[in-house]
Amino acid sequence: MTRVVIVGGGQAGSSAALKLRGLGFPGEIILIGDEPIAPYQRPPLSKSYLLGKAAPDALLIRPVSLYREKNIELRPGCRVDRILAQARRIETSTGRLGYDHLILATGAKPVRLDPSVGGALGNVFTLRTIEDIDRIAPLFQAGRRLLVIGGGYVGLEAAAVAAQSGLQVVLVEMADRILRRVACAETAAYFRALHVRHGVRILESTAIRQLEGSGTAACARLSDGEELAVDLVIVGIGVKPDVALANEAGLDVDDGIKVDELGRTSSEGIWAAGDCASFPYRDKRIRLESVPHAIDQAETVAANICGAQKPYVATPWFWSDQFDVKLQIAGLNANYDRVVVRLDRRPGVASHWYFRGNTLLAVDAMNDARSYMIAKRLIASGISPDPGSVGSPATDLGHLVKSRAQAQAPRQSVRAADAEHKRVGSAARSERNSRSSPSA
Ligand SMILES: Cc1cc2nc3c(=O)[nH]c(=O)nc-3n(C[C@H](O)[C@H](O)[C@H](O)COP(=O)(O)OP(=O)(O)OC[C@H]3O[C@@H](n4cnc5c(N)ncnc54)[C@H](O)[C@@H]3O)c2cc1C
């Protein structure tokens, strides 16, 4: 019987296993993960779970019973130590195992603060696993002083939860502004103002010189000479793809395990998906760190193991929740040369549209599900609205979609644009209606 072994019990691993069964794969599926529990969602870790509003069971991607029902063997708490690619076997902490197909879904590991700077002190945490949060959450008590290092989404989400829990929060960012790597200055300004309104102190262009204390950090010395008293520190300075197994097995690695458009690595019978994999996108090779990507790429790999020969077409999107703001991002903003700001009459509702020339690349939508839905569809269909009109709140985005499609496409696609216009309207309505349900 054909056997698929999946290494990594996270979002990508779970999605690949379930999709294989969904497609009628009749062989054995073994899902191995080194964390002690069944596959769970990470996004709530820095949101509802840290806030104490979600129980551990609510994090599970699927109930354990479903894997049993689908005849998927889960092996939590088991580490894969080595791949013997020639022999199509792996060595694990509980023994050897053969495979016909191996899917690497090993995810990413947080970058840690160097021990020489104080990164090994007892109250310095990273945010990646449920175990991390279970250690941090009891320390989230009103009045405590939290230092967050790093102004990316995870750091900002942790800062927001801490401020909501009554902690005194300082966030330091080494770059000249928060969200430098992932968003435009306008989006950074929006979130800086949001945090400042909620009492978070944000220090940009500021690095940590040293965390000081015996056993635990009590003081942080900053690059501008300031000394901050701290009770706990969260380090959110990015992640690195977990390529340890792939490297050791001699697979090609290029900022992640290198896969082709079908999800195949450089070694026959070995596939990769999710945070750990880099893949061809347009004329580049990229790696994404998001749930929708982990699901879609893993499902593509599952389909290709079943013989579909289906290339993976990434349609990047992402979200972040901070205080009462839901940020939704459609597309990839790499190489943008202009940002158009679209404000709304409702306070706090805005969207930032990234263009290169006249081509729409991406949109950040803040509490603006309609702009997000329209942008997502426009980007997927390769339609760019006129940058000059998009910024005016008087411009009906739905009509823009229609008129732009008519101008860009031959007559036959006008009907498609009509249908698109209607679909966008109803999708945005249902998105709005579901906003109150907890997504992450
Ligand atoms: C705090 C936080 C908040 C986030 N918020 C969002 C969000 O709002 N929206 C969004 O889209 N994305 C968000 N993300 C990112 C998203 O969670 C990841 O992109 C996604 O989980 C990637 O899934 P994955 O399966 O590739 O990797 P992972 O979820 O990291 O799973 C990989 C698993 O493989 C295991 N593993 C590694 N090596 C081995 C081995 N040798 N043997 C056995 N097991 C191994 C790891 O321990 C891990 O359990 C967030 C991430 C974090 C940490």
Side-chain angles (χ1 to χ4, degrees):
M1 193 191 288
T2 307
R3 178 189 286 165
V4 176
V5 175
I6 303 169
V7 188
Q11 185 67 64
S14 163
S15 301
L18 291 164
K19 188 68 179 180
L20 278 166
R21 276 291 180 257
L23 292 170
F25 175 75
E28 260 185 284
I29 304 174
I30 302 174
L31 177 52
I32 302 176
D34 58 1
E35 291 188 68
I37 68 168
Y40 62 92
Q41 310 165 62
R42 294 191 199 281
L45 294 181
S46 51
K47 308 175 182 79
S48 54
Y49 190 68
L50 186 55
L51 204 48
K53 287 194 171 164
D57 276 1
L59 299 191
L60 293 182
I61 293 170
R62 290 301 175 89
V64 174
S65 57
L66 184 87
Y67 299 94
R68 262 197 306 272
E69 242 169 63
K70 303 273 176 201
N71 200 16
I72 294 167
E73 185 185 331
L74 286 187
R75 292 196 191 171
C78 176
R79 183 159 182 83
V80 177
D81 294 319
R82 208 159 157 229
I83 304 169
L84 307 161
Q86 292 290 341
R88 294 211 177 200
R89 294 177 83 80
I90 54 170
E91 286 175 357
T92 80
S93 48
T94 56
R96 285 188 161 196
L97 189 67
Y99 64 82
D100 297 292
H101 296 275
L102 184 71
I103 304 177
L104 298 178
T106 48
K109 282 197 175 333
V111 177
R112 292 177 188 274
L113 198 64
D114 199 84
S116 65
V117 184
L121 290 166
N123 54 349
V124 179
F125 302 96
T126 50
L127 262 176
R128 182 74 192 177
T129 64
I130 200 166
E131 224 177 328
D132 292 334
I133 310 300
D134 288 345
R135 285 190 290 143
I136 297 169
L139 306 177
F140 260 42
Q141 288 171 16
R144 291 236 168 122
R145 294 156 303 186
L146 167 68
L147 170 65
V148 178
I149 304 176
Y153 288 122
V154 167
L156 286 167
E157 287 180 353
V161 170
Q164 285 169 289
S165 309
L167 280 82
Q168 298 171 40
V169 188
V170 178
L171 182 147
V172 296
E173 168 55 60
M174 197 166 70
D176 59 349
R177 64 170 173 82
I178 56 169
L179 301 175
R180 160 60 77 194
R181 197 175 57 86
V182 287
C184 60
E186 290 82 352
T187 299
Y190 180 102
F191 282 98
R192 185 187 305 111
L194 176 72
H195 278 260
V196 168
R197 270 203 308 281
H198 285 86
V200 177
R201 192 172 161 222
I202 293 191
L203 305 174
E204 291 157 314
S205 303
T206 306
I208 297 293
R209 283 279 169 267
Q210 192 69 47
L211 297 177
E212 287 167 351
S214 65
T216 56
C219 171
R221 269 200 295 116
L222 308 183
S223 53
D224 62 2
E226 184 173 353
E227 297 197 350
L228 287 175
V230 298
D231 296 308
L232 70 151
V233 179
I234 290 180
V235 180
I237 52 176
V239 297
K240 289 254 183 277
D242 191 336
V243 295
L245 276 178
N247 265 336
E248 211 259 349
L251 271 55
D252 289 351
V253 168
D254 175 6
D255 179 37
I257 304 166
K258 210 170 162 183
V259 298
D260 65 9
E261 67 284 359
L262 300 184
R264 295 176 298 202
T265 69
S266 56
S267 181
E268 177 80 27
I270 306 183
W271 310 70
D275 279 14
C276 68
S278 72
F279 61 97
Y281 178 78
R282 301 193 175 151
D283 52 351
K284 296 194 292 276
R285 171 163 291 278
I286 62 166
R287 196 175 61 74
L288 294 175
E289 294 158 14
S290 84
V291 166
H293 161 69
I295 296 172
D296 292 348
Q297 195 179 32
E299 291 192 349
T300 302
V301 164
N304 290 331
I305 287 176
C306 295
Q309 292 285 316
K310 177 181 158 192
Y312 174 54
V313 183
T315 47
W317 63 279
F318 185 84
W319 75 92
S320 174
D321 294 324
Q322 294 168 46
F323 301 105
D324 55 351
V325 174
K326 178 173 275 299
L327 164 69
Q328 291 166 293
I329 302 170
L332 275 187
N333 64 18
N335 302 325
Y336 68 93
D337 56 18
R338 160 157 57 152
V339 175
V340 177
V341 174
R342 182 179 166 89
L343 297 173
D344 193 278
R345 289 178 191 87
R346 293 162 294 169
V349 177
S351 53
H352 300 156
W353 298 63
Y354 298 81
F355 287 88
R356 177 159 189 84
N358 286 328
T359 304
L360 177 65
L361 301 177
V363 172
D364 297 340
M366 279 72 65
N367 281 346
D368 190 352
R370 180 170 163 80
S371 291
Y372 165 71
M373 289 302 300
I374 288 175
K376 198 171 163 195
R377 294 248 157 81
L378 284 171
I379 293 164
S381 342
I383 299 173
S384 293
D386 172 25
S389 322
V390 91
S392 164
T395 304
D396 179 333
L397 287 176
H399 284 294
L400 261 187
V401 176
K402 192 176 168 189
S403 57
R404 200 63 190 170
Q406 280 169 341
Q408 283 185 357
R411 191 127 40 94
Q412 61 178 50
S413 66
V414 171
R415 269 198 304 278
D418 263 334
E420 188 63 16
H421 183 199
K422 282 187 195 125
R423 233 188 355 258
V424 160
S426 75
R429 274 191 300 281
S430 70
E431 177 92 5
R432 253 195 321 273
N433 295 339
S434 65
R435 277 263 345 265
S436 52
S437 63
S439 59

